Amino acid sequence: MPATIRDVARASGVHISTVSRTFSAPHLVNPETRVRVLACAEDLGYRPNRAARALITGRTHNIGLIVADIANPFFPPLIKAAEGQARHRDYHVFVADTNEDPVAEEDLVHALAKQVDGVLLCSPRMSNSLIEQVSREVPVVVINRQIAGLPCVMMDVGQGARAAIEHLLGLGHRRIALLGGPRGSWTAREMRRAATAAARGGGAELTVLGPNQPTETGGGALAEQVRRSGVTAVLAYNDLMAIGLIEGLDAIGARVPHDVSVVGVDDIALSRLTRPKLTTVATPTAAAGRTAVDMLLQLDSDAPRGARGRGAAAGDRRTTAQVMLQTELVVRDSTGPVPAPGRDGTGA
């Protein structure tokens, strides 16, 4: 028969309420007593009932993590890091995938709201106003988008795009394409803003192609258009698109980087396995996952017990806390000097 809270109280010589506090609010229990209670619980194989604890504390010790596309290799390192950080804090993570659908995203937030203490929205596709609205129902931390008044963890893709364009300019490229990401993407907007400024500053012409699906197929479908445009270098929204583009260019006889240089974003594992190895902007996805969990739990600990973001109490939880994590250009084999004028149909 499983051990109960009464068994632990009897074995450790304390009241049942002390055992309860040891698990729900350990900082309120004398350290010596806490150690003794935990040791007895371990010896007896006692595990607290999370559902019962939630009724007392108003907290479930569950977190929702909603991602745009779980099949995209960008997300698993973030998910893994978030789960590890949550587990360290005695929280569980429920992961959900929206398949790039803002309607599904909203539905998932509403479905999770009563089952979790907060939600991490990673690369959301909902509008800012809708995200602000759902944040009144459940605490939200946004990853990869900046929204005034909400806690956000961002990766500085603007700085990364600038570094990528400057790298291409240094190789002599003056006709560059930017492959845009999905419609409504904050990352795509930041990349376009920074890439446009960097290209203009270097006297280069930037051609924007998009919006596009942020997939390998989406990148491959643009190969013909890239060649017809006469550009000699491309910055893609992410590594998947860059890899798809390289495959598409190869299929029509264009060599990377001899005819077209290609840069991706994210530094997923596949970027080191492609031929040529992909030059890319590394994004700190694992750090973003850990930081977002810490930010959400801080937000939750500051809330009144039982409020959980609903009604007027939600205003107490709104914050300007925002973190920007640095990106880094990783130069590999998919970028090279601008082709000689007129070589192999580059449009010169």
Side-chain angles (χ1 to χ4, degrees):
M1 184 176 180
T4 67
I5 192 170
R6 293 180 183 278
D7 297 328
V8 177
R10 189 179 303 113
S12 53
V14 299
H15 194 271
I16 290 172
S17 61
T18 303
V19 178
S20 177
R21 275 195 301 275
T22 298
F23 288 97
S24 63
H27 60 286
L28 298 178
V29 179
N30 176 280
E32 261 184 47
T33 303
R34 184 170 66 240
V35 169
R36 186 167 75 251
V37 170
L38 291 174
C40 289
E42 183 68 26
D43 290 343
L44 293 170
Y46 171 73
R47 293 292 179 270
N49 184 317
R50 284 178 174 264
R53 184 168 64 180
L55 290 174
I56 297 169
T57 64
R59 295 190 171 95
T60 65
H61 277 242
N62 297 324
I63 295 171
L65 172 55
I66 300 176
V67 300
D69 180 8
I70 204 167
N72 185 330
F74 167 83
F75 291 106
L78 188 150
I79 294 169
K80 188 175 181 65
E83 285 186 322
Q85 190 74 357
R87 195 178 308 115
H88 179 69
R89 304 281 296 272
D90 193 30
Y91 276 73
H92 293 159
V93 176
F94 299 158
V95 180
D97 172 29
T98 70
N99 197 31
E100 302 280 352
D101 182 350
V103 175
E105 190 169 71
E106 182 186 2
D107 289 345
L108 282 167
V109 173
H110 293 312
L112 286 171
K114 292 186 174 125
Q115 305 174 56
V116 299
D117 295 328
V119 171
L120 306 178
L121 278 177
C122 189
S123 299
R125 301 302 180 226
M126 286 188 289
S127 66
N128 285 5
S129 60
L130 197 49
I131 293 173
E132 290 169 356
Q133 183 179 322
V134 298
S135 74
R136 297 185 180 94
E137 182 178 355
V138 63
V140 166
V141 171
V142 183
I143 305 173
N144 248 11
R145 187 188 290 187
Q146 188 171 32
I147 302 176
L150 288 182
C152 304
V153 179
M154 296 154 290
M155 288 165 266
D156 197 348
V157 290
Q159 182 272 331
R162 282 192 299 275
I165 295 296
E166 288 167 2
H167 168 64
L168 295 172
L169 291 171
L171 293 170
H173 296 279
R174 293 298 180 271
R175 301 186 68 185
I176 302 169
L178 172 65
L179 306 190
R183 194 179 303 279
S185 164
W186 175 85
T187 296
R189 288 196 301 273
E190 286 295 295
M191 286 181 62
R192 179 169 182 164
R193 177 188 56 77
T196 299
R200 185 184 299 120
E205 176 188 340
L206 185 73
T207 300
V208 180
L209 305 177
N212 304 288
Q213 283 299 307
T215 62
E216 190 176 346
T217 301
L222 293 167
E224 290 275 7
Q225 191 174 356
V226 165
R227 286 304 275 162
R228 284 197 306 270
S229 71
V231 301
T232 61
V234 176
L235 170 60
Y237 170 78
N238 64 11
D239 285 349
L240 284 182
M241 290 189 70
I243 291 167
L245 177 66
I246 291 172
E247 293 171 347
L249 290 171
D250 180 68
I252 60 175
R255 298 168 299 166
V256 175
H258 303 288
D259 302 321
V260 182
S261 288
V262 178
V263 182
V265 174
D266 290 339
D267 194 26
I268 62 175
L270 283 174
S271 68
R272 300 182 286 279
L273 302 176
T274 57
R275 292 295 179 269
K277 292 181 180 179
L278 184 65
T279 294
T280 184
V281 175
T283 53
T285 51
R290 290 190 293 269
T291 302
V293 168
D294 287 341
M295 193 178 284
L296 182 64
L297 296 188
Q298 182 60 47
L299 190 68
D300 188 55
S301 69
D302 292 342
R305 176 178 292 184
R308 300 195 53 221
R310 294 180 176 84
D316 300 332
R317 307 257 276 275
R318 295 178 68 77
T319 175
T320 56
Q322 299 190 343
V323 175
M324 182 72 80
L325 303 175
Q326 294 304 300
T327 55
E328 180 184 3
L329 180 68
V330 180
V331 178
R332 297 195 182 105
D333 304 330
S334 66
T335 49
V338 64
R343 190 179 79 186
D344 195 29
T346 55

